[in-house]
Amino acid sequence: MSKQKFYLTTAIPYGNGAPHIGHAYEIIAADVLSRYYRAAGYDCYFLAGMDEHGQKMQQTAKKNGETPQQLADRTAGLFQDMHRSLNIQYDDFIRTTEDRHKKAVQHLWQKMVEAGDIYLGKYAGWYSVRDEAYFDEKELHMAEGIRCAPTGAPVEWVEEESYFFKLSSYQQKLLDWYGKNPHCVQPESRRNEIVNFVKDGLSDLSVSRTTFDWGVPVPGAPRHVMYVWVDALSNYITALGYPDDDNRLLHNYWPADCQLIGKDIVRFHAIYWPAFLMSAGLPLPAQVYGHGFIYNRGEKMSKSVGNVITPAELIDEYGCDQLRYFLLREVAFGQDGSYSHDAIISRINSDLANDLGNLAQRTLSQIAKNCDEKIPPQGDLTQDDQQLFTLLHNAKHSYHTEMKQLAFHRALEALWHVIAECNRYIDAQAPWSLKKTDVPRMQTVLHVIIECVRQIAILLRPFMPTSMDAMLDQLAIGEGERGFSCLDHGLVAGAALPVPQGVFPRYQVAEQAEQKT
């Protein structure tokens, strides 16, 4: 029986600058989601990549005294370094400067031409180089005497010959798609924004440029390069081997099940992208999910303010798994959130070191000391034991429900509720006292606790893979026994355990402060 597929993509970051915490946030979320579906037995394919064409790339490269390709290569390396440091495991990393992409996107363009959706005209309008987008007059605002887009980026008046895509003819088709597929754009607030925007009417979209040449050439029109959004958005299918219908990847995985993006580019993914696909006769993605932003102490990160912190700095300071956990535990994924030094160390010390780490460490230490370093047998279960297992069972159900809705923080909350109850249970049962009065009962209590820890560690692996693997190693759980299908297998009494070691050290605030002074 073939596995159910799950195709997951992220936005492809623009290649004119180094990665920041927002890029880390999105790729971590995608990695957690892909690991979750793999653990659940899905045939999951996870795509990341880089957007490397456009006017911004050409301008930045010129300013740096390098070619656009040199800039693209250098920046792609920085992003891939970040991915490695965050333990990201994608299946492919596509770059829009690759030949496989250029050839495929030109084919997509030709399909839109054949559909009668591309025509040559002239464009005049307010254009943002930073956003790579034109904006209507009604969308603009003035800031310090400068006319700006909704994103705050300055705009300039541009007039040029351009090919246009008949976006206006797709207004009703898009509204029908939103109506028939209520979860195709999420969260709900983003969907409502998109629906209202489309209802207000759509203008045809300028899809080529002649004012620069760093892009994919328009077929049959050598002076034109493709508008970056036609080029960039196409990566989600070109990476699968489009237009080769016999390609296994394209056949198996398209349409995408989830396309994770930042909220600032929802319009391009929820309006332009499905319209392009409709024109080319291709299936539409099941869901476009626009997540919120991450701020430093509630402030947008800015070099001028001096609050920009790189992902590498955060990883070095707190640890990879600790950062992964914090970002998805602290912030509701669809909403904006904030991080601070105090908030991160609070999560590390309270949630990870005290709650989970201490629970595992003291239980394993009791087993090592009183059970000959072997998994103790489970005797008859009391009502307290049964209640704890029932709580764990219910939490697993909640966890899976929330994960499939990308409510990572609520999935983690469900598990931490069990962890808290496990700590209360072990304090109430006091196995350190039972060893003097009722050894079989002590063994059962320790077995119950360590079985809960085993299942919780398996469920937490998508979030903290290295730490949870270290914890499962201490429970003598084999590599092939760490998927969700193994949750109900149970521990084997008598299995030898290694010497217990702590997984989550406390963040020592005083020592760190002394080191920084």
Side-chain angles (χ1 to χ4, degrees), residues 438-458:
D438 192 342
V439 171
R441 177 59 190 159
M442 175 201 72
Q443 293 173 331
T444 296
V445 168
L446 293 174
H447 188 104
V448 167
I449 288 293
I450 211 63
E451 171 59 19
C452 289
V453 170
R454 180 188 73 88
Q455 294 194 38
I456 289 168
I458 289 174

Side-chain angles (χ1 to χ4, degrees), residues 147-188:
R147 186 175 276 103
C148 296
T151 60
V155 296
E156 58 188 40
W157 186 259
V158 174
E159 297 184 20
E160 63 178 314
E161 181 182 79
S162 174
Y163 282 94
F164 286 80
F165 174 76
K166 293 181 180 178
L167 185 63
S168 58
S169 67
Y170 284 89
Q171 178 176 350
Q172 191 56 50
K173 294 175 184 178
L174 288 166
L175 291 174
D176 291 344
W177 179 53
Y178 306 142
K180 293 176 182 177
N181 302 276
H183 299 292
C184 65
V185 181
Q186 290 293 307
E188 190 68 19

Side-chain angles (χ1 to χ4, degrees), residues 58 77 91 112 122 132 157 167 190 201 230 232 283 290-291 328 379 413 417 440 455 457 470 498:
Q58 195 163 344
D91 295 281
M112 294 192 292
K122 288 189 176 182
E132 296 280 7
W157 186 259
L167 185 63
R190 311 265 190 267
V230 177
H291 62 77
L328 296 184
E413 283 175 4
H417 182 55
Q455 294 194 38

Side-chain angles (χ1 to χ4, degrees), residues 312-331:
E313 289 175 291
L314 293 172
I315 295 166
D316 290 343
E317 184 72 21
Y318 307 110
C320 171
D321 278 358
Q322 288 87 338
L323 180 61
R324 287 170 63 107
Y325 170 78
F326 171 82
L327 288 175
L328 296 184
R329 177 68 175 84
E330 187 79 4
V331 181

Side-chain angles (χ1 to χ4, degrees), residues 30-67:
D31 186 68
V32 168
L33 197 61
S34 69
R35 288 176 185 268
Y36 169 81
Y37 276 99
R38 289 193 180 100
Y42 284 68
D43 176 12
C44 182
Y45 200 82
F46 172 20
L47 175 69
M50 294 294 296
D51 176 9
E52 299 177 331
H53 287 134
Q55 188 174 9
K56 284 186 294 185
M57 288 291 291
Q58 195 163 344
Q59 290 177 346
T60 302
K62 183 177 180 180
K63 182 179 178 181
N64 294 344
E66 58 189 337
T67 68

Side-chain angles (χ1 to χ4, degrees), residues 117-166:
D117 287 331
I118 301 288
Y119 64 91
L120 184 62
K122 288 189 176 182
Y123 194 89
W126 295 106
Y127 182 69
S128 164
V129 174
R130 186 192 305 173
D131 297 318
E132 296 280 7
Y134 281 99
F135 293 93
D136 291 335
E137 184 82 34
K138 62 184 179 182
E139 298 180 86
L140 307 179
H141 66 276
M142 298 298 293
E144 298 181 357
I146 299 173
R147 186 175 276 103
C148 296
T151 60
V155 296
E156 58 188 40
W157 186 259
V158 174
E159 297 184 20
E160 63 178 314
E161 181 182 79
S162 174
Y163 282 94
F164 286 80
F165 174 76
K166 293 181 180 178

Side-chain angles (χ1 to χ4, degrees), residues 306-379:
N307 64 348
V308 175
I309 301 177
T310 68
E313 289 175 291
L314 293 172
I315 295 166
D316 290 343
E317 184 72 21
Y318 307 110
C320 171
D321 278 358
Q322 288 87 338
L323 180 61
R324 287 170 63 107
Y325 170 78
F326 171 82
L327 288 175
L328 296 184
R329 177 68 175 84
E330 187 79 4
V331 181
F333 188 59
Q335 302 174 16
D336 292 343
S338 184
Y339 74 92
S340 68
H341 175 72
D342 290 343
I344 296 174
I345 63 174
S346 176
R347 288 290 183 191
I348 291 174
N349 288 343
S350 177
D351 294 10
L352 299 181
N354 289 356
D355 294 346
L356 177 57
N358 187 49
L359 174 67
Q361 179 69 8
R362 62 174 171 164
T363 305
L364 287 168
S365 295
Q366 288 283 317
I367 291 173
K369 187 183 300 183
N370 303 314
C371 303
D372 197 25
E373 298 180 339
K374 296 177 181 178
I375 296 290
Q378 177 184 292

